[in-house]
């Protein structure tokens, strides 16, 4: 399924879902470990990415929250006898909307920028639809397990291997969420 079909599916799900259960009614902040699994042409450059992020959820209406997310992501460059691709390191900064589909299950979409830490790289437009589930812990804290498709688009070619302008990957996020 292409990225645009996934985005349309998630937007449709967000606005047509009849499930209106418990609202998220308090702000929260989560600290996460992340894994990125490159897809498409990006998998020619890297086999895996690892990172960390901090995400704030700020309720704006019943079942809706504004999300602010900043992180660090390093995609390890592929190496073999012919090629030695440098690691690609970025600081993604995104904002978006999160919709609670149930007491713990949610869908979200985010837009922002991936800021490069490598020389000769450019800032890329970032977008990511995703879903997740939060598991309640004592004291109002939660564990958050999320999965998303994320793409970074722009004029940012690495010489010789990747002529695509998009770096896409499946992201898995494991977070500890503090209720505020």
């Amino acid at each position: 399924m292409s990225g645009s079909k996934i985005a349309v599916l998630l937007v449709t799900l967000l606005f047509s879902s009849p499930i209106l259960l418990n609202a998220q009614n308090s702000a929260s902040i989560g600290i996460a470990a992340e894994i990125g699994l490159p897809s498409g042409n990006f998998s020619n450059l890297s086999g895996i990415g690892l990172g960390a992020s901090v995400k704030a959820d700020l309720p704006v209406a019943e079942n809706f929250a504004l999300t602010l997310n900043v992180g660090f992501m390093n995609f390890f460059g592929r190496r073999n006898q012919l090629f030695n691709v440098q690691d690609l390191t970025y600081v993604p900064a995104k904002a978006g909307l999160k919709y609670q589909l149930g007491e713990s299950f949610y869908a979200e979409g985010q837009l922002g920028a991936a800021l490069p830490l490598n020389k000769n790289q450019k800032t890329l437009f970032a977008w990511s639809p995703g879903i997740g589930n939060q598991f309640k812990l004592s004291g109002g804290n939660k564990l958050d397990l999320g999965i998303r498709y994320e793409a970074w688009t722009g004029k940012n070619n690495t010489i010789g291997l990747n002529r695509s302008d998009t770096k896409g990957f499946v992201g898995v996020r494991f977070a500890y969420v503090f209720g505020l």
Side-chain angles (χ1 to χ4, degrees), residues 72-143:
F72 172 86
M73 197 69 173
N74 184 73
F75 286 96
F76 298 94
R78 290 205 182 264
R79 292 166 177 82
N80 61 35
Q81 294 170 342
L82 299 175
F83 298 105
N84 186 11
V85 177
Q86 74 173 345
D87 291 357
L88 299 171
T89 308
Y90 289 86
V91 173
K94 301 174 287 186
L97 284 177
K98 180 180 193 178
Y99 180 66
Q100 291 294 139
L101 297 166
E103 185 175 346
S104 61
F105 189 68
Y106 64 86
E108 70 180 335
Q110 296 183 321
L111 302 173
L115 309 165
L117 296 180
N118 301 82
K119 292 181 181 179
N120 302 320
Q121 300 291 312
K122 297 178 184 173
T123 299
L124 303 172
F125 172 72
W127 58 275
S128 63
I131 58 172
N133 198 54
Q134 293 183 331
F135 302 93
K136 289 183 181 179
L137 302 173
S138 62
N141 298 331
K142 300 174 186 174
L143 287 179

Side-chain angles (χ1 to χ4, degrees), residues 59-78:
V60 293
E62 186 173 354
N63 297 321
F64 281 97
L66 175 67
T67 62
L68 303 172
N69 187 335
V70 67
F72 172 86
M73 197 69 173
N74 184 73
F75 286 96
F76 298 94
R78 290 205 182 264

Side-chain angles (χ1 to χ4, degrees), residues 2 4 8-9 15 17 27 39 41 57 61 67-68 76 104 109 115 121-123 129 135 138 156 173:
S2 73
S4 62
V8 169
L9 178 66
F15 294 108
S17 177
S39 63
N41 289 337
D57 291 353
T67 62
L68 303 172
F76 298 94
S104 61
L115 309 165
Q121 300 291 312
K122 297 178 184 173
T123 299
F135 302 93
S138 62
N156 191 24
R173 183 174 188 273

